[in-house]
Amino acid sequence: MSELVSGGNMPLPDGAVTVRVPGPFDVCALITDDGGKVGSDADFVFYNQPSAPGARLDGDTLTVDPPRLRPGATKVTVVVSPADPATPLGRLPAPILQVSAPGGPSLARFAPPRPRQETVLLLAEIYRRGGAWKLRALGQGYADGLAGLARDFGVDVIDDAAAGAASTQHAHVPGSPPAHAPASPAPPSPTSRSVLPTPTLVDLHPAGPAPATDPDGFLALVNSARTRAGSPPVLPDTRLASAARAHASAMAAAGQLGVEGADGVSVYQRLTATGYAYLTVGEHLVSGPRTPADFVEYCLGDEKARRTLCDPAYTHAGLGYVGDGRFGDLYWTALWARPFTPGDLARTAAEVVDLTNRERARAGLPALAADAPLTTAAQAHSADMVARAFYSHTSPDGSRPWDRAAAAGARRRSVGENIACGQRSPAEVVDGWMNSPGHRANILGPDFTHIGIGLAGGGAAGTYWTQLFGA
């Protein structure tokens, strides 16, 4: 049986597989095409619609038979939410995904990082690659409810409350007949549920910003500067703005600037607590400016601050500022981020491998080959350092790099590991390792033949990197 980590994948055998998530959860599935959208309301499998071609839901168990999916279907996304919609996932036991062949052996297990305030978790996806089907572990959480998730996959969620029909909601796919909404729905029985739980209807996908405005004109000033620098504009995101304001408030309360507030919480932890999973993040922590225009002018006048403001890697931004209440000083936090996606993770890891191999080439050494088990172990260690708030080659459970590599399926006679935290880019982290004798020795180890890279955002330092070598 394979133990998967977020972003890890594995091939599936031919035929049907079962996906089970035991516990106080509702399981559902969205069947999509290459564009990531459902084709009709029949592609949304949940407790009130438990079957579709190739997919059947029975309690906590979803059975997927890929060859029997509707024509054009290339992916099945497995989602969990609390059975009680009012309960955040963080108050429940961590959901555990169990995958097996029907009546056969266990194939895989996935224990995602424990959710916090999120009410929906994208747990895994079964997807077609070429002519074969594979399983990928996701573990992406959202705080905005199942209806927002359905909308993100192409399902229209119509809120009948505005029409005086209580809070019953109906799913409708463009091009299909809309569901009938009774003017006065009968109260549900104790064992029945509405079609969808009542959520806050906001955009749910990590790659898209939550609805936000720019009341101070901050983003207009920023994007004007970014345009002059040849960088694409950033979009406002309420999660970044909320985290920025919370951190500005913490700094104002303490009367000093700092990545961590007096409460011991870092600005990065405040951001991940909002449900924004990032691939890379930057921040400005400033006191003194009186207006957003003054703040942007200050940033543009400082070389390092200007590089962050104009960095083309960032796609979203949020600003917060709070007065200290004693001396009238304003404390400012600006956050810049790019959301986490599996594709961006793979590209970033590949860039680290490429930069590492360039250093080896300069030393006359052969290139290292990317290795899937080493990558799985490296990614798991980075995620673990964020989740359990430590920074060490030895995990809290006592496991060492070679233990983690072996548990991920690596069969290497020797293993080496580099870790780092706080760096914002592949170039920055590889440069830091090369300027450290011990880390440099691993990168230029003549016996190593394979490599795996992992990175995760959050924690006290922002981004945690793991570089795992094998021979």
Side-chain angles (χ1 to χ4, degrees):
M1 180 180 71
S2 297
E3 287 281 349
L4 295 177
V5 298
S6 297
N9 61 70
M10 60 171 286
L12 291 174
D14 294 336
V17 294
T18 62
V19 176
R20 181 171 180 255
V21 186
F25 308 106
D26 280 333
V27 180
C28 66
L30 290 131
I31 301 166
T32 56
D33 54 22
D34 287 335
K37 299 296 183 181
V38 298
S40 73
D41 55 1
D43 284 345
F44 189 15
V45 178
F46 64 116
Y47 42 76
N48 272 7
Q49 185 170 273
S51 65
R56 185 181 72 257
L57 180 63
D58 183 10
D60 62 8
T61 301
L62 175 72
T63 301
V64 178
D65 190 353
R68 297 181 179 274
L69 293 171
R70 66 162 174 84
T74 58
K75 185 185 296 183
V76 178
T77 303
V78 181
V79 180
V80 295
S81 58
D84 176 5
T87 303
L89 285 168
R91 296 183 185 174
L92 300 174
I96 305 295
L97 178 79
Q98 302 170 1
V99 182
S100 61
S106 295
L107 301 173
R109 180 180 180 273
F110 172 48
R114 186 178 182 86
R116 297 182 181 179
Q117 82 279 13
E118 295 94 332
T119 57
V120 174
L121 187 67
L122 273 67
L123 203 51
E125 59 187 18
I126 296 169
Y127 65 100
R128 188 172 66 198
R129 178 62 55 84
W133 287 85
K134 303 182 75 174
L135 172 74
R136 178 185 289 120
L138 298 177
Q140 296 177 359
Y142 300 97
D144 300 308
L146 189 58
L149 173 69
R151 178 183 297 105
D152 194 58
F153 279 77
V155 179
D156 284 343
V157 178
I158 302 168
D159 187 354
D160 296 329
S167 60
T168 304
Q169 297 185 344
H170 301 267
H172 169 57
V173 178
S176 67
H180 173 64
S184 180
S189 67
T191 59
S192 69
R193 300 186 177 121
S194 299
V195 174
L196 291 175
T198 305
T200 302
L201 300 182
V202 298
D203 184 8
L204 194 56
H205 198 280
T213 58
D214 186 24
D216 298 312
F218 168 68
L219 264 296
L221 294 166
V222 164
N223 284 330
S224 176
R226 288 175 66 89
T227 297
R228 292 194 299 272
S231 297
V234 288
L235 298 172
D237 191 291
T238 54
R239 294 164 294 184
L240 271 69
S242 174
R245 180 171 178 81
H247 196 70
S249 180
M251 292 192 300
Q256 63 181 16
L257 301 174
V259 170
E260 283 193 3
D263 55 5
V265 180
S266 75
V267 66
Y268 316 113
Q269 290 167 315
R270 298 187 205 281
L271 177 53
T272 55
T274 68
Y276 189 104
Y278 61 81
L279 181 78
T280 185
V281 67
E283 74 285 337
H284 289 122
L285 310 176
V286 178
S287 66
R290 307 307 301 173
T291 67
D294 292 341
F295 175 82
V296 172
E297 183 179 3
Y298 161 79
C299 292
L300 293 175
D302 177 86
E303 182 181 353
K304 184 177 179 181
R306 183 174 65 252
R307 284 202 306 268
T308 298
L309 186 148
C310 295
D311 193 328
Y314 299 131
T315 57
H316 299 113
L319 177 71
Y321 54 97
V322 175
D324 67 1
R326 294 167 294 180
F327 305 107
D329 292 333
L330 288 179
Y331 285 79
W332 299 75
T333 299
L335 286 173
W336 316 84
R338 183 183 190 91
F340 174 94
T341 67
D344 275 346
L345 174 64
R347 282 188 288 274
T348 302
E351 188 173 347
V352 175
V353 173
D354 179 63
L355 290 169
T356 299
N357 282 332
R358 291 185 192 182
E359 297 294 344
R360 289 178 63 85
R362 291 189 184 100
L365 295 168
L368 303 174
D371 181 81
L374 292 178
T375 299
T376 296
Q379 183 62 32
H381 190 55
S382 288
D384 194 31
M385 287 192 289
V386 171
R388 293 201 275 181
F390 73 97
Y391 179 64
S392 173
H393 294 289
T394 303
S395 299
D397 59 13
S399 65
R400 305 293 296 274
W402 41 89
D403 302 319
R404 296 188 290 270
R411 298 293 179 262
R412 301 292 166 191
R413 58 182 173 82
S414 65
V415 169
E417 182 179 77
N418 288 342
I419 58 175
C421 63
Q423 294 81 5
R424 309 300 172 87
S425 69
E428 188 177 344
V429 73
V430 173
D431 184 64
W433 281 326
M434 287 298 294
N435 284 306
S436 167
H439 299 94
R440 179 186 178 94
N442 273 340
I443 288 176
L444 301 182
D447 293 333
F448 289 135
T449 56
H450 291 77
I451 188 173
I453 304 297
L455 63 141
T463 303
Y464 291 73
W465 303 78
T466 301
Q467 192 179 42
L468 201 56
F469 303 89

